[in-house]
Amino acid sequence: MGEVDPAFIQDVEHRPKLTNTESEGIPIIDLSILSSPEPDSDEFRRLVAEISDASEKWGFFQVINHGVPSETRQKIELAARQFFALPKEEKSKVRRDEVNPYGYYDTEHTKNVRDWKEVFDFSVESTFIPVSPEPDDEALKEMISQWPEYPPEMREVCEEYVHEVQKLSYKLLELISLSLGLPEKRLNGFFKDQTSFLRMNHYPPCPSPHLALGVGRHKDAGALTILAQDDVGGLEVKRKTDGEWVFVKPTPDAYIINVGDIIQVWSNDKYESVEHRVKVNSERERFSIPFFVNPAHYTWVQPLDEIVNEENPAKYKPYNWGKFFTTRKTSNYKKLGVENIQIYHFKTTKSSDE
Ligand code: OGA
Ligand code: NI
């Protein structure tokens, strides 16, 4: 063993204790009864209560017995490994650019040089978003998925996976809707022309794990995220009760679900979108596959009518999801040097901690 850099020792001492015991980690929710749901049963009511509790206290939970076949997931996990193992030259053939935000990128080529990862983004549906963040410009563009030549089954495997994970997304949206005291299908209409997309993340081993993060602290901007992580682990969630970073222990075949900014706004802050980040590993590479569930570009996001009233007035002004999305993508690509657009910019009253 060589000498340990004193800066590293200090950092280790200041690391939050990893307290992921059963009682302190994010909740694990069993969805098996959804294969034959009886909405009036105590079991079903208990499930809705668990979703409500987890969304309110953590903003994060894991689901098991979710209905996505393990073979479908194994196939896409293998395709991700095969794709990222290609020479950079080959991966660069499907590199994203300023016009089209789908494709391959590594963080060497964006302003976000601190994230230690490479990414492949695509959608399987045709997705339109505004060309420009300017409110008066109504032009739309289609985002085009780019498919690599290798592995040859990439597209087919991805389409099969999205088909399954999308079914899970509707089950979750319905449970969340019920948990907010709304009709089961209240949220479904927002996803008719959805702008959801799938991302493959590859976090290579990092020689100085104390200096980098796989992904820095952030909140997800969309409605829901459905994440498949492998057995390496690295995802940490900021616990609402005390602000500690809590390690999310990999559970084989489970999905990690988090509510994004849009559900925070729809629920008028009842379910908050929670910060999370990814630690890198010095020895093992890590793969993760999030599915970002996003509404149609023309959706005006605002607290739902049934939720706001005199005692609970709307905490946000309506904002257009397509414009929000395009503003984010544009500023991620260009080094604008300005703060990224955030939902709190649409708060009706600013609180002191913002
Ligand atoms: C993300 C994210 C977590 C992970 O891509 O937004 O939070 O474990 N990823 O890769
Ligand atoms: Ni995230």
Side-chain angles (χ1 to χ4, degrees):
M1 287 275 291
E3 269 187 49
V4 177
D5 181 344
F8 178 62
I9 297 171
Q10 202 187 17
D11 187 54
V12 169
E13 283 171 356
H14 286 89
R15 250 177 222 178
K17 288 176 202 71
L18 301 182
T19 47
N20 194 42
T21 60
E22 280 295 297
S23 59
E24 287 163 319
I26 66 169
I28 296 185
I29 299 181
D30 185 341
L31 298 183
S32 47
I33 68 157
L34 290 186
S35 43
S36 50
E38 287 176 41
D40 284 330
S41 66
D42 284 346
E43 237 185 329
F44 189 75
R45 270 194 289 272
R46 210 172 307 127
L47 171 61
V48 173
E50 278 181 72
I51 297 281
S52 159
D53 223 46
S55 305
E56 204 168 337
K57 296 197 179 121
W58 284 91
F60 264 87
F61 50 92
Q62 303 200 55
V63 292
I64 54 170
N65 300 317
H66 39 66
V68 178
S70 350
E71 313 83 76
T72 306
R73 172 159 167 182
Q74 282 156 13
K75 279 194 261 175
I76 197 172
E77 285 175 342
L78 177 63
R81 280 176 188 272
Q82 290 171 328
F83 172 72
F84 288 119
L86 294 172
K88 177 87 58 179
E89 215 186 310
E90 194 59 36
K91 290 182 279 195
S92 298
K93 289 183 184 166
V94 290
R95 192 179 277 284
R96 77 171 184 189
D97 58 34
E98 207 172 326
V99 179
N100 184 5
Y102 285 158
Y104 170 78
Y105 69 97
D106 50 16
T107 43
E108 287 162 41
H109 289 79
T110 67
K111 75 165 188 189
N112 202 346
V113 287
R114 292 181 55 207
D115 285 357
W116 189 266
K117 65 167 184 174
E118 51 179 349
V119 171
F120 179 68
D121 284 344
F122 65 90
S123 82
V124 302
E125 286 181 21
S126 112
T127 306
F128 288 87
I129 57 161
V131 173
S132 145
E134 296 305 321
D136 304 335
D137 187 343
E138 288 178 13
L140 297 175
K141 65 176 173 191
E142 185 174 9
M143 304 216 288
I144 308 283
S145 296
Q146 312 185 67
W147 297 103
E149 241 172 277
Y150 304 102
E153 63 281 8
M154 181 81 152
R155 182 171 187 168
E156 190 190 325
V157 162
C158 289
E159 286 180 353
E160 182 187 327
Y161 182 79
V162 168
H163 179 71
E164 293 296 335
V165 89
Q166 221 163 26
K167 284 197 270 182
L168 175 59
S169 74
Y170 279 108
K171 290 183 193 170
L172 291 165
L173 287 166
E174 288 167 11
L175 286 168
I176 286 172
S177 197
L178 289 169
S179 79
L180 288 167
L182 303 168
E184 188 177 28
K185 307 232 186 270
R186 172 66 171 90
L187 304 176
N188 293 22
F190 295 119
F191 297 90
K192 185 170 159 281
D193 299 311
Q194 56 187 266
T195 54
S196 305
F197 66 100
L198 201 83
R199 169 168 290 171
M200 293 174 170
N201 286 312
H202 176 221
Y203 305 94
C206 178
S208 318
H210 53 297
L211 293 179
L213 282 169
V215 190
R217 57 199 289 175
H218 69 282
K219 298 177 182 187
D220 294 347
L224 272 186
T225 307
I226 302 181
L227 175 86
Q229 72 163 341
D230 66 12
D231 63 346
V232 174
L235 175 63
E236 293 181 344
V237 170
K238 198 169 180 184
R239 185 164 52 203
K240 285 180 76 174
T241 49
D242 56 6
E244 289 277 307
W245 289 104
V246 175
F247 180 73
V248 180
K249 202 168 139 240
T251 303
D253 214 34
Y255 284 95
I256 298 160
I257 314 298
N258 63 295
V259 305
D261 291 348
I262 291 179
I263 287 189
Q264 173 168 339
V265 173
W266 279 340
S267 72
N268 207 27
D269 282 354
K270 184 166 198 264
Y271 295 166
E272 280 171 86
S273 171
V274 164
E275 266 189 328
H276 50 286
R277 67 181 186 186
V278 177
K279 284 284 182 75
V280 282
N281 192 295
S282 60
E283 277 118 49
R284 295 182 67 190
E285 61 181 342
R286 174 176 182 265
F287 297 87
S288 73
I289 307 180
F291 181 55
F292 296 104
V293 183
N294 297 331
H297 73 82
Y298 47 76
T299 306
W300 284 89
V301 182
Q302 57 185 312
L304 298 169
D305 280 349
E306 302 92 319
I307 286 178
V308 296
N309 53 43
E310 246 166 68
E311 289 91 68
N312 184 17
K315 297 193 167 107
Y316 299 87
K317 292 175 275 196
Y319 66 92
N320 179 274
W321 166 246
K323 290 291 177 190
F324 188 97
F325 190 82
T326 296
T327 307
R328 274 277 173 102
K329 291 279 176 200
T330 312
S331 58
N332 282 346
Y333 199 87
K334 293 183 184 157
K335 302 182 184 186
L336 291 181
V338 293
E339 189 200 12
N340 242 336
I341 189 168
Q342 304 289 349
I343 51 166
Y344 68 73
H345 296 148
F346 301 99
K347 276 251 171 185
T348 47
T349 50
K350 305 247 187 243
S351 66
S352 55
D353 60 354
E354 286 159 359

